[in-house]
Amino acid sequence: MNSMTILLLIFSIFTLPSFLTSKEAEYLYHVCSNTTTFTPNSIFQSNVNHLLSTLSSNANSSTGFYNDTVQTTNNAVYGLFLCRGDVAGTDACETCVANATAEAPQRCPIEKEAVIWYDDCMLRYSYESFFSTSAENPGVFLTNTQNVTEQTRFNQVLAASMNEVATEAANDAYKFAAKQTKFSDQITLYSLGQCTQDLSAAVCDRCFGVAIAQLPSCCSGKQGGRVLFPSCNVRYEIYPFYAENPIAPEPTPTEAVRLAEDCTGTATFTQNSAFQSNLHSLLFTLSSKTTRDTSFYNATASSSQNPDDTVYGLFLCGVDVVSTGDCKTCVATATLEAPQRCPNRKNVIIWYNNCMLRYSDVSFFSRADDEPFAPRENTGKVTVNQSRFYEVLAASVTELAAQASNESSKFAIKTEDVSGSISLQVLGQCTQDLSSRDCNWCLRRIIEKVPRIQEGGRFLCPSCRLTIEVSQYNVHTPSSPPPLPPPPASIGARPKGRSRLSPYIIIVGSILAFIAVTVVLGYCLARRRAVRNNAPSQENGRDDTKTLESLQFDLGTIETATNKFSDNNKLGEGGFGVVFKV
Ligand SMILES: *[C@@H]1O[C@H](CO)[C@@H](O)[C@H](O)[C@H]1NC(C)=O
Ligand SMILES: *[C@@H]1O[C@H](CO)[C@@H](O)[C@H](O)[C@H]1NC(C)=O
Ligand SMILES: *[C@@H]1O[C@H](CO)[C@@H](O)[C@H](O)[C@H]1NC(C)=O
Ligand SMILES: *[C@@H]1O[C@H](CO)[C@@H](O)[C@H](O)[C@H]1NC(C)=O
Ligand SMILES: *[C@@H]1O[C@H](CO)[C@@H](O)[C@H](O)[C@H]1NC(C)=O
Ligand SMILES: *[C@@H]1O[C@H](CO)[C@@H](O)[C@H](O)[C@H]1NC(C)=O
Ligand SMILES: *[C@@H]1O[C@H](CO)[C@@H](O)[C@H](O)[C@H]1NC(C)=O
Ligand SMILES: *[C@@H]1O[C@H](CO)[C@@H](O)[C@H](O)[C@H]1NC(C)=O
């Protein structure tokens, strides 16, 4: 497939969206390479026909993927079809593959290589074997032309959700995953990712990495987008475009707020270089490692040819945000934004409220770096005996540094009273590749750099960070001690007729509720599996009205768009989609 021409072309989808033609296969795009062709009525052609008919007859109610080879002396044709995970094994899959296998010889009459994409399926064949390898070329991008509001946060939520889908799909037996994420009360984001099933998890992962890396350039700010490669595809919309899964969407994550960045290093790379490709792969690896119990991950990406193209990178999340999913959001944002904010730079550090991301062409693992230093001091001034404050602060940080460096998490938190009304909270964290000694050094180094911290803040180094919060509270010396919480009343002693629940009842209630939730969750999980494993035709409820509303099509636009497949159409204008090859 690499031999296919690389060109840019823009045009609009000329079939109406699926809600108008829901029973028919919806064609999207095709690519045939005219660099290798066969002569009509040749053995090769007969092999192609044989292959297509085998593929078509294997798209029945029990499959969603099939690969086959037709081999004769000097002539082989390799081919496969892939149905979208949620339609696999349904009539939609069968219909789609039937149409694709019938259309392919018409659209690519003499070409030896072809890929044809539909909404519900994909068909590919070639004279060269491509099984088990990832092809990210040719690529097709489609966008929904409607804009999103709150673009920055949308991109963050999208990136996090896509990365999660990619990780899940790469490790899924059917190489498919879909996910809903609540963006706001009104808007839910639906994301989907799928690889062909001949790929291993690692190869699939890589394909997703390349696909997701295209989203900012193709689809940023848009309500929907797709990247279609021969080996994998990703898609997102703000309406359900796949059979919905019954699990409720996760809570809205908190936004990643960028605090500082450093791309002052002079080393640069060129576009489409091996370094860039390694960087994409590294960033993808990092963002896919944000599980709910990982606050740190370091990785290396290199290509076999040239060790100079190796990229080293890591992320570090606040230990406190890992379990909430905010680490995932933050790292997803960082991996997306860093290459945009520091274009072509080989040495980049970017700090957010919830995480830090760093990469370089030189290994920095196990090395304590206190430069560049990014102090983000709070403003305002605490009315406090300054010399006492510094004393307490210095002592706290010393203790904290010893504590954090002693922990395998390289994280510690400490609260100290400065005076009757002022308290100090210090949080310290090092990257986990540091030795105990280096971590200790790094944290203490910060306080040496800013000995006169007045109001707290965040103090960021590449290898460690300190967060200092000073809180002042009004002192109301109570004349009598605060009321004690009421003693846990036993049921028998409680006067009848009062409506308050006793702690006992509340506890029993909570346990029952917990059990109920567990049972329901378990049921949902089981059901989800079942839906995936069986034909999900009942679940395949494309809500047409909803789709129509969400898309808010302007019929005038569609007409204009379908009238002329002009290359002059500007990107992002003229109907439902934008398509171009990479
Ligand atoms: C292949 O396609 C390109 C672009 O569409 C065209 O310029 C070229 O002439 C074609 N080559 C052949 C052999 O048909
Ligand atoms: C689906 O196709 C495969 C291969 O042709 C065949 O073995 C299987 O029995 C078919 N299943 C159904 C339900 O038709
Ligand atoms: C494929 O489906 C389209 C409608 O989506 C239809 O117009 C076309 O005739 C079909 N092609 C074949 C070969 O059945
Ligand atoms: C979407 O935003 C772009 C620029 O941000 C603007 O040019 C375009 O008109 C907007 N499209 C719609 C449909 O609002
Ligand atoms: C299908 O793909 C696998 C690789 O994933 C390959 O080993 C196998 O030979 C292929 N099957 C056929 C019939 O070509
Ligand atoms: C401020 O604190 C220092 C050290 O604790 C103490 O020696 C000094 O007397 C204090 N000054 C005031 C005005 O309280
Ligand atoms: C560090 O860990 C060791 C062994 O777990 C313990 O004895 C020591 O007190 C710890 N030091 C600090 C400063 O927490
Ligand atoms: C992570 O860092 C350690 C050093 O702390 C290094 O030995 C290891 O190879 C790194 N892992 C990767 C995947 O680069």
Side-chain angles (χ1 to χ4, degrees):
M1 272 309 147
N2 288 338
S3 58
M4 285 195 172
T5 41
I6 296 182
L7 60 101
L8 181 83
L9 82 99
I10 301 165
F11 78 103
S12 304
I13 301 301
F14 40 80
T15 51
L16 289 174
S18 57
F19 54 84
L20 297 179
T21 56
S22 57
K23 287 282 173 272
E24 287 171 10
E26 193 194 325
Y27 164 81
L28 296 174
Y29 198 67
H30 75 277
V31 180
C32 338
S33 165
N34 71 359
T35 55
T36 45
T37 54
F38 58 82
T39 40
N41 303 319
S42 59
I43 297 175
F44 190 89
Q45 181 166 40
S46 113
N47 288 351
V48 169
N49 292 340
H50 183 178
L51 175 86
L52 293 176
S53 111
T54 310
L55 291 179
S56 178
S57 64
N58 275 287
N60 59 27
S61 54
S62 58
T63 49
F65 170 84
Y66 195 80
N67 70 324
D68 197 18
T69 309
V70 175
Q71 185 120 36
T72 53
T73 326
N74 300 330
N75 277 299
V77 194
Y78 304 85
L80 60 78
F81 74 79
L82 174 70
C83 284
R84 208 177 61 214
D86 60 309
V87 303
T90 64
D91 289 352
C93 173
E94 203 173 334
T95 308
C96 186
V97 175
N99 194 281
T101 49
E103 289 272 316
Q106 294 172 22
R107 295 186 185 272
C108 307
I110 52 161
E111 289 86 354
K112 285 186 162 184
E113 290 184 288
V115 191
I116 176 164
W117 287 276
Y118 285 71
D119 218 17
D120 288 342
C121 72
M122 185 206 92
L123 170 73
R124 178 184 179 193
Y125 56 85
S126 170
Y127 65 100
E128 286 180 320
S129 175
F130 54 83
F131 301 141
S132 308
T133 59
S134 173
E136 297 111 23
N137 182 15
V140 177
F141 307 157
L142 294 88
T143 61
N144 183 324
T145 49
Q146 297 296 311
N147 291 338
V148 292
T149 53
E150 285 192 79
Q151 192 173 328
T152 308
R153 194 167 73 80
F154 187 85
N155 283 347
Q156 294 180 357
V157 173
L158 173 63
S161 165
M162 269 300 168
N163 286 326
E164 215 167 305
V165 161
T167 309
E168 199 185 311
N171 296 298
D172 180 73
Y174 300 98
K175 296 282 178 288
F176 170 78
K179 183 172 165 40
Q180 336 175 356
T181 312
K182 201 134 177 67
F183 174 66
S184 66
D185 285 346
Q186 289 82 34
I187 300 173
T188 301
L189 171 70
Y190 298 83
S191 338
L192 174 153
Q194 186 169 24
C195 287
T196 59
Q197 290 168 28
D198 54 323
L199 302 190
S200 66
V203 175
C204 171
D205 224 50
R206 180 175 174 96
C207 188
F208 279 138
V210 181
I212 292 171
Q214 307 300 326
L215 286 175
S217 53
C218 78
C219 313
S220 182
K222 300 300 175 192
Q223 289 183 3
R226 310 185 206 188
V227 176
L228 309 175
F229 287 147
S231 293
C232 70
N233 63 78
V234 296
R235 179 179 180 185
Y236 74 91
E237 304 285 353
I238 58 168
Y239 63 91
F241 59 91
Y242 55 84
E244 283 187 70
N245 99 37
I247 301 240
E250 288 177 12
T252 318
T254 43
E255 190 171 354
V257 179
R258 197 178 56 256
L259 300 174
E261 74 212 355
D262 181 89
C263 27
T264 51
T266 49
T268 56
F269 61 85
T270 46
Q271 285 297 312
N272 301 321
S273 59
F275 186 91
Q276 184 179 37
S277 145
N278 289 340
L279 177 59
H280 279 159
S281 136
L282 174 92
L283 294 177
F284 179 69
T285 305
L286 290 179
S287 61
S288 61
K289 293 297 178 188
T290 49
T291 59
R292 284 182 186 265
D293 49 12
T294 314
S295 60
F296 170 84
Y297 196 85
N298 68 324
T300 310
S302 57
S303 39
S304 46
Q305 294 88 0
N306 191 352
D308 290 347
D309 292 328
T310 305
V311 194
Y312 304 86
L314 60 78
F315 73 79
L316 177 69
C317 280
V319 165
D320 45 333
V321 301
V322 167
S323 64
T324 63
D326 289 344
C327 171
K328 186 179 282 295
T329 310
C330 188
V331 173
T333 306
T335 51
L336 196 74
E337 287 188 347
Q340 291 173 356
R341 302 196 59 87
C342 303
N344 303 337
R345 297 288 162 173
K346 286 186 168 180
N347 290 287
V348 172
I349 306 178
I350 185 160
W351 287 276
Y352 290 81
N353 54 347
N354 291 331
C355 70
M356 179 199 96
L357 171 76
R358 180 181 185 188
Y359 56 82
S360 172
D361 61 333
V362 180
S363 173
F364 52 85
F365 301 148
S366 307
R367 196 178 78 195
D369 286 328
D370 61 335
E371 290 291 342
F373 177 54
R376 291 288 172 272
E377 211 168 330
N378 297 340
T379 50
K381 200 162 186 178
V382 172
T383 43
V384 66
N385 178 338
Q386 289 287 322
S387 51
R388 162 109 184 110
F389 179 75
Y390 300 137
E391 236 170 62
V392 175
L393 179 62
S396 302
V397 171
T398 305
E399 243 176 88
L400 177 90
Q403 228 174 56
S405 55
N406 215 13
E407 298 285 338
S408 61
S409 64
K410 296 281 186 289
F411 173 87
I413 191 162
K414 236 181 124 43
T415 307
E416 206 73 57
D417 268 342
V418 180
S419 72
S421 64
I422 307 250
S423 82
L424 185 66
Q425 192 186 57
V426 202
L427 178 157
Q429 187 177 21
C430 301
T431 60
Q432 287 168 28
D433 54 331
L434 292 198
S435 68
S436 195
R437 203 172 123 256
D438 287 344
C439 175
N440 198 325
W441 174 82
C442 188
L443 289 170
R444 295 169 69 145
R445 194 69 196 105
I446 292 181
I447 208 80
E448 284 171 29
K449 284 169 186 279
V450 274
R452 287 283 173 265
I453 295 170
Q454 306 209 317
E455 185 56 18
R458 294 168 189 261
F459 303 89
L460 311 163
C461 285
S463 296
C464 66
R465 68 176 180 123
L466 264 187
T467 302
I468 299 168
E469 288 301 334
V470 182
S471 33
Q472 184 162 29
Y473 39 91
N474 294 329
V475 192
H476 293 297
T477 331
S479 48
S480 58
L484 292 170
S490 81
I491 289 180
R494 202 162 52 87
K496 294 240 169 351
R498 296 245 318 252
S499 62
R500 275 234 195 118
L501 293 174
S502 81
Y504 174 73
I505 290 177
I506 290 170
I507 289 168
V508 169
S510 308
I511 291 173
L512 286 178
F514 174 75
I515 291 172
V517 167
T518 313
V519 166
V520 168
L521 259 180
Y523 170 74
C524 289
L525 279 169
R527 192 174 146 81
R528 185 188 184 197
R529 277 282 147 214
V531 166
R532 174 171 305 170
N533 292 339
N534 302 328
S537 45
Q538 257 92 55
E539 299 289 329
N540 193 359
R542 228 193 272 251
D543 186 341
D544 292 352
T545 334
K546 203 170 181 178
T547 309
L548 193 55
E549 275 170 4
S550 320
L551 282 172
Q552 288 174 348
F553 267 108
D554 173 353
L555 266 181
T557 322
I558 294 174
E559 269 165 27
T560 329
T562 49
N563 276 344
K564 41 180 177 183
F565 307 109
S566 165
D567 287 7
N568 302 330
N569 280 355
K570 274 199 254 118
L571 197 72
E573 290 182 2
F576 172 72
V578 181
V579 179
F580 54 92
K581 295 200 274 177
V582 286

